[in-house]
Amino acid sequence: MTELPEDVRDLVALDLRAAQVQDWSIAGDSFTWTLLTGDPDRGHELATVTYVGAVVLHTNRRDLDRAVAAAAEVARAEVVPTGEGGFEHRVVLAPDYPLVVRFWSVEVRRMPAPDHLRRVR
């Protein structure tokens, strides 16, 4: 992969293994979701990811609400460039729920979080 812009490198650097979906929102051309990352040994973080120029594929609002209610966890995630100069964040929520976010830029905000935010599935 060619050199990634700094904002996309921030997204790639997130360890989303078993991250739980906490909430999401769509406003204009932005898609934002908050994920609880980490584990009790390493500690937890809330990562809020806002994709700008975003198009969300393979899902709808009802499915996203169900993912939050079910404390859905990330099974796999990868960022790939598109042919048009943007990127896709390809995410599979357990057990087998695909979600693709096409975007032009992204903002990642991270903050420490208490362990009790992790919900039992």
Side-chain angles (χ1 to χ4, degrees):
M1 190 181 298
T2 60
E3 183 67 24
L4 296 173
E6 184 177 348
D7 62 332
V8 178
R9 285 196 310 264
D10 290 343
L11 177 60
V12 170
L14 276 178
D15 182 0
L16 294 180
R17 241 176 339 187
Q20 283 186 335
V21 180
Q22 300 292 299
D23 61 36
W24 67 273
S25 66
I26 294 176
D29 73 341
S30 296
F31 172 70
T32 299
W33 62 349
T34 300
L35 302 155
L36 180 68
T37 65
D39 59 44
D41 295 332
R42 295 178 293 153
H44 287 94
E45 264 187 337
L46 282 173
T48 300
V49 181
T50 300
Y51 308 86
V52 178
V55 177
V56 183
L57 306 171
H58 308 300
T59 193
N60 59 49
R61 292 175 184 270
R62 188 185 70 232
D63 290 339
L64 287 167
D65 286 340
R66 279 199 309 241
V68 172
E73 294 184 357
V74 175
R76 319 188 278 286
E78 68 175 333
V79 176
V80 296
T82 65
E84 299 83 37
F87 297 89
E88 286 186 352
H89 195 191
R90 299 175 182 171
V91 179
V92 175
L93 300 174
D96 190 27
Y97 177 71
L99 167 78
V100 175
V101 182
R102 284 193 185 142
F103 64 96
W104 292 103
S105 64
V106 64
E107 178 186 354
V108 178
R109 294 182 311 275
R110 300 163 75 165
M111 62 183 266
D115 292 345
H116 74 272
L117 289 182
R118 179 156 296 277
R119 295 173 287 154
V120 177
R121 293 181 57 208

Coordinates of all heavy atoms in Angstrom, one line a residue, residues 20-104:
Q20 N -16.2 -3.1 21.0 CA -17.7 -3.1 21.1 C -18.3 -1.8 20.6 O -17.8 -0.8 20.9 CB -18.2 -3.3 22.5 CG -18.1 -4.7 23.0 CD -18.7 -4.9 24.4 OE1 -18.8 -3.9 25.1 NE2 -19.1 -6.1 24.7
V21 N -19.3 -1.9 19.8 CA -20.0 -0.8 19.3 C -20.8 -0.2 20.4 O -21.6 -0.8 21.0 CB -20.9 -1.1 18.1 CG1 -21.6 0.1 17.6 CG2 -20.1 -1.8 17.0
Q22 N -20.5 1.1 20.7 CA -21.2 1.8 21.8 C -22.4 2.7 21.3 O -23.4 2.7 21.8 CB -20.3 2.7 22.6 CG -19.1 1.9 23.2 CD -19.6 1.0 24.3 OE1 -20.2 1.5 25.3 NE2 -19.4 -0.3 24.2
D23 N -22.1 3.4 20.2 CA -23.2 4.2 19.6 C -22.7 4.7 18.2 O -21.6 4.4 17.8 CB -23.6 5.4 20.4 CG -22.5 6.4 20.7 OD1 -21.6 6.6 19.8 OD2 -22.4 7.0 21.8
W24 N -23.6 5.3 17.4 CA -23.3 5.7 16.1 C -24.2 6.9 15.7 O -25.2 7.1 16.4 CB -23.5 4.6 15.1 CG -24.9 4.2 15.0 CD1 -25.6 3.3 15.7 CD2 -25.9 4.7 14.1 NE1 -26.9 3.2 15.4 CE2 -27.2 4.1 14.3 CE3 -25.9 5.7 13.0 CZ2 -28.3 4.4 13.6 CZ3 -27.0 6.0 12.3 CH2 -28.2 5.3 12.6
S25 N -23.8 7.7 14.7 CA -24.7 8.7 14.2 C -24.3 9.1 12.8 O -23.1 8.9 12.4 CB -24.6 10.0 15.1 OG -23.3 10.6 15.0
I26 N -25.3 9.6 12.1 CA -25.0 10.1 10.7 C -25.5 11.5 10.7 O -26.6 11.8 11.1 CB -25.8 9.3 9.6 CG1 -25.2 7.8 9.6 CG2 -25.7 9.9 8.3 CD1 -26.0 6.9 8.7
A27 N -24.6 12.4 10.2 CA -25.0 13.8 10.0 C -24.4 14.4 8.7 O -23.2 14.4 8.6 CB -24.5 14.6 11.2
G28 N -25.2 14.8 7.8 CA -24.7 15.3 6.5 C -24.0 14.2 5.8 O -24.5 13.1 5.6
D29 N -22.7 14.5 5.5 CA -21.9 13.5 4.8 C -20.9 12.8 5.8 O -19.9 12.3 5.3 CB -21.1 14.1 3.6 CG -20.0 15.0 4.1 OD1 -20.0 15.4 5.2 OD2 -19.1 15.3 3.2
S30 N -21.2 12.8 7.1 CA -20.3 12.2 8.1 C -21.0 11.0 8.7 O -22.2 11.1 9.0 CB -19.9 13.2 9.1 OG -19.2 14.2 8.6
F31 N -20.2 10.0 9.0 CA -20.7 8.8 9.8 C -19.7 8.8 11.0 O -18.5 8.8 10.8 CB -20.6 7.5 9.0 CG -20.9 6.3 9.8 CD1 -22.1 6.0 10.3 CD2 -19.9 5.4 10.1 CE1 -22.4 4.9 11.1 CE2 -20.1 4.3 10.8 CZ -21.4 4.0 11.3
T32 N -20.3 8.7 12.2 CA -19.5 8.6 13.4 C -20.0 7.4 14.2 O -21.2 7.2 14.3 CB -19.7 9.9 14.3 OG1 -19.2 11.0 13.5 CG2 -18.9 9.8 15.6
W33 N -19.0 6.7 14.8 CA -19.3 5.7 15.7 C -18.3 5.6 16.8 O -17.2 6.1 16.6 CB -19.6 4.3 15.1 CG -18.5 3.6 14.4 CD1 -17.3 4.1 14.0 CD2 -18.5 2.2 13.9 NE1 -16.6 3.1 13.3 CE2 -17.3 2.0 13.3 CE3 -19.5 1.2 14.0 CZ2 -17.0 0.8 12.7 CZ3 -19.2 0.0 13.5 CH2 -18.0 -0.2 12.8
T34 N -18.7 5.2 18.0 CA -17.8 5.1 19.1 C -17.7 3.6 19.5 O -18.7 2.9 19.6 CB -18.4 5.9 20.3 OG1 -18.5 7.2 20.0 CG2 -17.4 5.8 21.5
L35 N -16.4 3.2 19.6 CA -16.1 1.8 19.9 C -15.3 1.7 21.2 O -14.4 2.5 21.4 CB -15.3 1.2 18.7 CG -15.9 1.3 17.4 CD1 -14.9 1.3 16.3 CD2 -16.9 0.1 17.2
L36 N -15.6 0.7 22.0 CA -14.9 0.5 23.2 C -13.8 -0.5 22.9 O -14.1 -1.7 22.5 CB -15.8 -0.1 24.3 CG -15.0 -0.4 25.6 CD1 -14.6 0.9 26.3 CD2 -15.9 -1.2 26.6
T37 N -12.5 -0.1 22.9 CA -11.4 -1.0 22.6 C -10.7 -1.4 23.8 O -10.9 -0.9 24.9 CB -10.4 -0.2 21.6 OG1 -9.8 0.8 22.3 CG2 -11.1 0.3 20.4
G38 N -9.8 -2.4 23.6 CA -8.9 -2.8 24.7 C -9.5 -4.0 25.5 O -10.5 -4.6 25.1
D39 N -8.9 -4.3 26.6 CA -9.3 -5.4 27.5 C -8.8 -5.0 28.9 O -8.1 -4.1 29.1 CB -8.7 -6.7 27.0 CG -7.2 -6.7 27.0 OD1 -6.5 -6.2 27.9 OD2 -6.6 -7.3 26.0
P40 N -9.3 -5.9 29.9 CA -8.9 -5.5 31.3 C -7.4 -5.5 31.6 O -6.9 -4.7 32.4 CB -9.6 -6.7 32.1 CG -10.7 -7.1 31.3 CD -10.2 -7.0 29.8
D41 N -6.6 -6.3 30.8 CA -5.2 -6.3 31.0 C -4.5 -5.1 30.5 O -3.6 -4.5 31.2 CB -4.5 -7.6 30.4 CG -5.0 -8.9 31.0 OD1 -5.3 -8.8 32.2 OD2 -5.0 -9.9 30.3
R42 N -4.9 -4.6 29.3 CA -4.3 -3.4 28.7 C -5.0 -2.2 29.1 O -4.5 -1.1 28.8 CB -4.3 -3.6 27.2 CG -3.5 -4.7 26.6 CD -3.6 -4.8 25.1 NE -4.9 -5.1 24.8 CZ -5.5 -4.8 23.6 NH1 -4.9 -4.1 22.7 NH2 -6.8 -5.2 23.4
G43 N -6.2 -2.3 29.6 CA -7.1 -1.1 29.8 C -8.0 -0.9 28.6 O -7.8 -1.4 27.5
H44 N -9.0 -0.1 28.8 CA -10.0 0.2 27.8 C -9.8 1.7 27.3 O -9.4 2.5 28.1 CB -11.4 -0.1 28.3 CG -11.7 -1.5 28.4 ND1 -11.5 -2.2 29.6 CD2 -12.1 -2.4 27.5 CE1 -11.9 -3.4 29.4 NE2 -12.3 -3.6 28.2
E45 N -10.3 1.9 26.1 CA -10.3 3.2 25.5 C -11.7 3.3 24.8 O -12.1 2.4 24.2 CB -9.3 3.4 24.4 CG -8.0 4.0 24.9 CD -7.1 4.3 23.7 OE1 -7.2 3.6 22.6 OE2 -6.2 5.2 23.9
L46 N -12.2 4.5 24.8 CA -13.3 4.8 23.8 C -12.7 5.5 22.6 O -12.0 6.5 22.8 CB -14.3 5.8 24.5 CG -15.3 5.1 25.5 CD1 -16.1 6.2 26.2 CD2 -16.2 4.1 24.8
A47 N -12.9 4.9 21.5 CA -12.4 5.5 20.2 C -13.6 6.0 19.4 O -14.5 5.2 19.1 CB -11.6 4.4 19.4
T48 N -13.7 7.3 19.2 CA -14.7 7.9 18.4 C -14.1 8.1 17.0 O -13.2 8.9 16.9 CB -15.3 9.1 19.0 OG1 -15.8 8.8 20.3 CG2 -16.4 9.7 18.2
V49 N -14.7 7.5 16.0 CA -14.2 7.6 14.6 C -15.3 8.3 13.8 O -16.4 7.9 13.7 CB -14.0 6.2 14.0 CG1 -13.4 6.3 12.6 CG2 -13.0 5.4 14.9
T50 N -14.9 9.4 13.2 CA -15.8 10.2 12.3 C -15.2 10.2 10.9 O -14.1 10.7 10.7 CB -15.9 11.7 12.8 OG1 -16.4 11.7 14.1 CG2 -16.8 12.5 11.9
Y51 N -15.9 9.6 10.0 CA -15.6 9.5 8.6 C -16.2 10.7 7.9 O -17.4 10.9 8.0 CB -16.0 8.2 8.0 CG -15.7 7.0 8.7 CD1 -16.5 6.5 9.7 CD2 -14.5 6.2 8.4 CE1 -16.1 5.3 10.4 CE2 -14.2 5.1 9.0 CZ -15.0 4.6 10.1 OH -14.7 3.5 10.7
V52 N -15.5 11.4 7.1 CA -16.0 12.6 6.3 C -16.1 12.2 4.9 O -15.2 11.6 4.3 CB -15.1 13.8 6.6 CG1 -15.6 15.0 5.8 CG2 -15.0 14.2 8.0
G53 N -17.2 12.7 4.2 CA -17.4 12.3 2.8 C -17.8 10.8 2.8 O -17.4 10.1 1.9
A54 N -18.6 10.4 3.8 CA -18.8 9.0 4.1 C -20.1 8.5 3.4 O -21.1 9.2 3.3 CB -18.9 8.8 5.6
V55 N -20.0 7.2 2.9 CA -21.1 6.5 2.5 C -21.0 5.1 3.2 O -19.9 4.5 3.1 CB -21.0 6.2 0.9 CG1 -22.2 5.4 0.5 CG2 -21.0 7.6 0.2
V56 N -22.1 4.8 3.9 CA -22.1 3.5 4.6 C -22.8 2.5 3.8 O -24.0 2.7 3.4 CB -22.8 3.7 6.0 CG1 -22.7 2.4 6.8 CG2 -22.1 4.8 6.8
L57 N -22.1 1.3 3.5 CA -22.7 0.3 2.7 C -23.0 -1.0 3.5 O -22.4 -1.2 4.5 CB -21.7 -0.1 1.6 CG -21.2 1.1 0.7 CD1 -20.1 0.7 -0.2 CD2 -22.4 1.7 -0.1
H58 N -23.9 -1.8 3.0 CA -24.2 -3.1 3.6 C -24.9 -3.0 4.9 O -24.9 -4.0 5.7 CB -23.0 -4.0 3.6 CG -22.2 -4.1 2.4 ND1 -22.8 -4.6 1.2 CD2 -21.0 -3.8 2.1 CE1 -21.9 -4.6 0.3 NE2 -20.8 -4.1 0.7
T59 N -25.5 -1.9 5.2 CA -26.2 -1.8 6.5 C -27.3 -0.8 6.5 O -27.4 0.0 5.5 CB -25.2 -1.5 7.7 OG1 -25.9 -1.7 8.9 CG2 -24.7 -0.1 7.6
N60 N -28.1 -0.7 7.5 CA -29.1 0.4 7.6 C -29.2 0.8 9.1 O -28.6 0.2 9.9 CB -30.5 -0.1 7.0 CG -31.0 -1.3 7.8 OD1 -31.0 -1.4 9.0 ND2 -31.4 -2.3 7.0
R61 N -30.0 1.8 9.3 CA -30.1 2.3 10.7 C -30.6 1.3 11.7 O -30.1 1.2 12.8 CB -31.0 3.6 10.7 CG -30.5 4.7 10.0 CD -31.5 5.9 9.9 NE -30.9 7.0 9.1 CZ -30.2 8.0 9.6 NH1 -30.0 8.0 10.9 NH2 -29.8 8.9 8.8
R62 N -31.5 0.5 11.3 CA -32.1 -0.5 12.2 C -31.0 -1.5 12.6 O -30.8 -1.9 13.8 CB -33.3 -1.2 11.6 CG -34.0 -2.2 12.5 CD -35.1 -3.0 11.8 NE -34.5 -3.9 10.9 CZ -34.8 -4.0 9.6 NH1 -35.7 -3.3 9.0 NH2 -34.1 -4.9 8.8
D63 N -30.2 -2.0 11.6 CA -29.1 -2.9 11.9 C -28.0 -2.3 12.8 O -27.5 -2.9 13.7 CB -28.5 -3.4 10.6 CG -29.4 -4.3 9.8 OD1 -30.4 -4.9 10.4 OD2 -29.2 -4.5 8.6
L64 N -27.7 -1.0 12.6 CA -26.8 -0.3 13.4 C -27.3 -0.2 14.9 O -26.5 -0.4 15.8 CB -26.4 1.0 12.9 CG -25.5 1.0 11.6 CD1 -25.5 2.4 11.0 CD2 -24.1 0.5 12.0
D65 N -28.6 0.1 15.0 CA -29.2 0.1 16.4 C -29.1 -1.2 17.0 O -28.8 -1.3 18.2 CB -30.6 0.6 16.3 CG -30.8 2.1 16.0 OD1 -29.8 2.8 16.2 OD2 -31.8 2.5 15.6
R66 N -29.4 -2.3 16.3 CA -29.3 -3.7 16.8 C -27.8 -4.0 17.2 O -27.6 -4.7 18.2 CB -29.8 -4.7 15.8 CG -31.3 -4.8 15.8 CD -31.8 -6.1 15.2 NE -31.2 -6.3 13.9 CZ -31.9 -6.4 12.8 NH1 -33.2 -6.3 12.8 NH2 -31.3 -6.7 11.7
A67 N -26.9 -3.5 16.5 CA -25.5 -3.8 16.8 C -25.1 -3.1 18.1 O -24.4 -3.7 19.0 CB -24.5 -3.3 15.7
V68 N -25.6 -1.9 18.4 CA -25.4 -1.3 19.7 C -26.1 -2.0 20.8 O -25.4 -2.3 21.8 CB -25.9 0.2 19.6 CG1 -25.8 0.8 21.0 CG2 -25.0 1.0 18.7
A69 N -27.3 -2.4 20.6 CA -28.1 -3.1 21.6 C -27.5 -4.4 22.0 O -27.5 -4.9 23.1 CB -29.5 -3.3 21.2
A70 N -26.9 -5.1 21.0 CA -26.3 -6.4 21.2 C -24.8 -6.4 21.6 O -24.2 -7.4 21.8 CB -26.4 -7.2 19.9
A71 N -24.3 -5.2 21.8 CA -22.9 -5.0 22.2 C -22.0 -5.8 21.1 O -21.1 -6.5 21.5 CB -22.6 -5.5 23.6
A72 N -22.4 -5.6 19.8 CA -21.6 -6.3 18.8 C -20.2 -5.9 18.8 O -19.8 -4.8 19.1 CB -22.2 -5.8 17.4
E73 N -19.3 -6.9 18.5 CA -17.9 -6.8 18.6 C -17.3 -6.9 17.2 O -17.8 -7.7 16.3 CB -17.3 -7.8 19.5 CG -17.6 -7.7 20.9 CD -17.0 -8.7 21.9 OE1 -16.2 -9.5 21.4 OE2 -17.2 -8.5 23.1
V74 N -16.2 -6.2 17.0 CA -15.5 -6.3 15.7 C -14.7 -7.6 15.6 O -13.9 -7.9 16.5 CB -14.5 -5.1 15.6 CG1 -13.7 -5.2 14.3 CG2 -15.2 -3.8 15.6
A75 N -15.0 -8.4 14.6 CA -14.3 -9.6 14.3 C -13.1 -9.4 13.4 O -12.0 -9.9 13.6 CB -15.3 -10.6 13.6
R76 N -13.3 -8.5 12.4 CA -12.1 -8.1 11.5 C -12.4 -6.7 11.0 O -13.5 -6.3 10.9 CB -12.1 -9.0 10.3 CG -12.2 -10.3 10.3 CD -11.9 -11.0 8.9 NE -12.9 -11.0 7.9 CZ -14.0 -11.7 8.0 NH1 -14.3 -12.4 9.0 NH2 -14.9 -11.6 7.0
A77 N -11.3 -6.1 10.7 CA -11.3 -4.7 10.1 C -10.1 -4.5 9.3 O -9.0 -4.9 9.7 CB -11.4 -3.7 11.2
E78 N -10.3 -3.8 8.2 CA -9.1 -3.4 7.3 C -9.5 -2.1 6.6 O -10.7 -1.8 6.3 CB -8.8 -4.5 6.3 CG -9.8 -4.8 5.3 CD -9.4 -5.8 4.2 OE1 -8.2 -5.9 4.0 OE2 -10.3 -6.4 3.6
V79 N -8.5 -1.4 6.3 CA -8.6 -0.1 5.5 C -7.9 -0.3 4.2 O -6.8 -0.8 4.1 CB -8.0 1.1 6.3 CG1 -8.1 2.3 5.4 CG2 -8.7 1.3 7.6
V80 N -8.7 -0.1 3.1 CA -8.1 -0.2 1.8 C -8.4 1.0 1.0 O -9.5 1.6 1.1 CB -8.7 -1.5 1.0 CG1 -8.3 -2.8 1.8 CG2 -10.2 -1.4 0.9
P81 N -7.5 1.4 0.1 CA -7.7 2.6 -0.8 C -8.7 2.2 -1.9 O -8.8 1.0 -2.3 CB -6.3 2.9 -1.4 CG -5.5 1.6 -1.2 CD -6.1 0.9 -0.1
T82 N -9.5 3.2 -2.3 CA -10.4 3.0 -3.5 C -9.7 3.5 -4.7 O -8.7 4.3 -4.6 CB -11.7 3.7 -3.3 OG1 -11.5 5.1 -3.3 CG2 -12.4 3.3 -2.0
G83 N -10.2 3.2 -5.9 CA -9.6 3.7 -7.1 C -9.7 5.2 -7.3 O -9.0 5.8 -8.1
E84 N -10.6 5.8 -6.6 CA -10.9 7.3 -6.8 C -10.1 8.2 -5.8 O -10.4 9.4 -5.8 CB -12.4 7.5 -6.5 CG -13.3 6.8 -7.5 CD -13.6 5.4 -7.1 OE1 -13.8 5.1 -5.9 OE2 -13.7 4.5 -7.9
G85 N -9.2 7.6 -5.0 CA -8.4 8.4 -4.1 C -8.9 8.4 -2.7 O -8.3 9.0 -1.8
G86 N -10.1 7.8 -2.4 CA -10.6 7.7 -1.1 C -10.2 6.4 -0.5 O -9.3 5.7 -0.9
F87 N -10.9 6.0 0.6 CA -10.6 4.8 1.3 C -11.9 4.0 1.7 O -13.0 4.6 1.7 CB -9.8 5.1 2.6 CG -8.5 5.7 2.3 CD1 -8.4 7.0 2.2 CD2 -7.4 4.9 2.1 CE1 -7.1 7.6 1.9 CE2 -6.2 5.4 1.8 CZ -6.0 6.8 1.7
E88 N -11.8 2.8 2.0 CA -12.9 2.0 2.5 C -12.4 1.4 3.8 O -11.3 0.8 3.9 CB -13.3 0.8 1.6 CG -14.1 1.3 0.4 CD -14.7 0.1 -0.4 OE1 -14.3 -1.1 -0.1 OE2 -15.4 0.4 -1.3
H89 N -13.2 1.5 4.9 CA -13.0 0.8 6.1 C -14.0 -0.4 6.1 O -15.2 -0.2 6.2 CB -13.2 1.7 7.3 CG -12.7 1.1 8.6 ND1 -13.0 1.6 9.8 CD2 -11.9 0.1 8.8 CE1 -12.4 1.0 10.8 NE2 -11.7 0.0 10.2
R90 N -13.4 -1.6 5.9 CA -14.2 -2.8 5.8 C -14.2 -3.5 7.2 O -13.2 -3.9 7.7 CB -13.7 -3.7 4.8 CG -13.7 -3.1 3.4 CD -13.0 -4.0 2.4 NE -13.0 -3.3 1.1 CZ -12.3 -3.8 0.0 NH1 -11.6 -4.9 0.1 NH2 -12.4 -3.1 -1.1
V91 N -15.4 -3.6 7.8 CA -15.5 -4.1 9.2 C -16.5 -5.3 9.1 O -17.5 -5.2 8.5 CB -16.0 -3.0 10.1 CG1 -16.1 -3.5 11.5 CG2 -15.0 -1.8 10.1
V92 N -16.2 -6.3 9.9 CA -17.1 -7.4 10.1 C -17.4 -7.5 11.6 O -16.5 -7.6 12.4 CB -16.6 -8.8 9.6 CG1 -17.6 -9.9 10.0 CG2 -16.4 -8.7 8.1
L93 N -18.7 -7.3 12.0 CA -19.1 -7.4 13.4 C -19.5 -8.9 13.6 O -20.1 -9.5 12.7 CB -20.2 -6.5 13.7 CG -19.9 -5.0 13.5 CD1 -21.2 -4.2 13.6 CD2 -18.8 -4.5 14.4
A94 N -19.1 -9.4 14.7 CA -19.4 -10.8 15.1 C -20.9 -11.0 15.2 O -21.6 -10.0 15.7 CB -18.7 -11.2 16.3
P95 N -21.5 -12.1 14.7 CA -20.8 -13.2 14.2 C -20.4 -13.1 12.7 O -19.3 -13.5 12.3 CB -21.7 -14.4 14.4 CG -23.1 -13.7 14.3 CD -22.9 -12.3 14.8
D96 N -21.2 -12.5 11.9 CA -20.9 -12.3 10.4 C -21.7 -11.2 9.8 O -22.5 -11.4 9.0 CB -21.1 -13.6 9.7 CG -20.5 -13.6 8.3 OD1 -19.5 -12.8 8.1 OD2 -21.0 -14.3 7.4
Y97 N -21.4 -10.0 10.3 CA -22.2 -8.8 9.9 C -21.3 -7.8 9.2 O -20.6 -7.1 9.9 CB -22.9 -8.3 11.1 CG -23.7 -7.0 10.9 CD1 -24.9 -7.1 10.2 CD2 -23.3 -5.8 11.4 CE1 -25.7 -5.9 10.0 CE2 -24.1 -4.7 11.2 CZ -25.2 -4.7 10.5 OH -26.0 -3.6 10.3
P98 N -21.3 -7.7 7.9 CA -20.3 -6.8 7.2 C -20.8 -5.4 7.2 O -22.0 -5.1 7.1 CB -20.2 -7.4 5.8 CG -21.6 -8.1 5.6 CD -22.0 -8.6 6.9
L99 N -19.9 -4.5 7.2 CA -20.2 -3.0 7.2 C -19.0 -2.4 6.4 O -17.8 -2.7 6.7 CB -20.2 -2.5 8.6 CG -20.2 -1.0 8.8 CD1 -21.6 -0.4 8.5 CD2 -19.9 -0.7 10.3
V100 N -19.3 -1.6 5.5 CA -18.2 -0.9 4.7 C -18.5 0.6 4.8 O -19.6 1.0 4.5 CB -18.1 -1.4 3.2 CG1 -17.1 -0.5 2.5 CG2 -17.8 -2.9 3.2
V101 N -17.5 1.4 5.1 CA -17.6 2.8 5.1 C -16.6 3.4 4.1 O -15.4 3.2 4.3 CB -17.3 3.4 6.5 CG1 -17.5 5.0 6.5 CG2 -18.2 2.8 7.6
R102 N -17.1 4.0 3.1 CA -16.3 4.7 2.1 C -16.1 6.1 2.6 O -17.1 6.7 3.0 CB -16.9 4.7 0.7 CG -16.8 3.4 0.0 CD -17.2 3.5 -1.5 NE -17.2 2.2 -2.0 CZ -18.0 1.7 -2.9 NH1 -19.0 2.5 -3.4 NH2 -18.0 0.5 -3.3
F103 N -14.9 6.6 2.5 CA -14.7 8.0 3.0 C -13.5 8.6 2.4 O -12.7 8.0 1.7 CB -14.5 7.9 4.6 CG -13.2 7.1 5.0 CD1 -12.1 7.8 5.2 CD2 -13.2 5.8 5.1 CE1 -10.9 7.1 5.6 CE2 -12.1 5.1 5.5 CZ -10.9 5.8 5.7
W104 N -13.4 10.0 2.6 CA -12.3 10.8 2.0 C -11.3 11.1 3.1 O -10.1 11.2 2.9 CB -12.8 12.0 1.3 CG -13.6 11.7 0.1 CD1 -14.9 11.7 -0.1 CD2 -13.0 11.3 -1.2 NE1 -15.3 11.3 -1.3 CE2 -14.1 11.0 -2.0 CE3 -11.7 11.1 -1.6 CZ2 -13.9 10.6 -3.3 CZ3 -11.6 10.7 -2.9 CH2 -12.6 10.4 -3.8

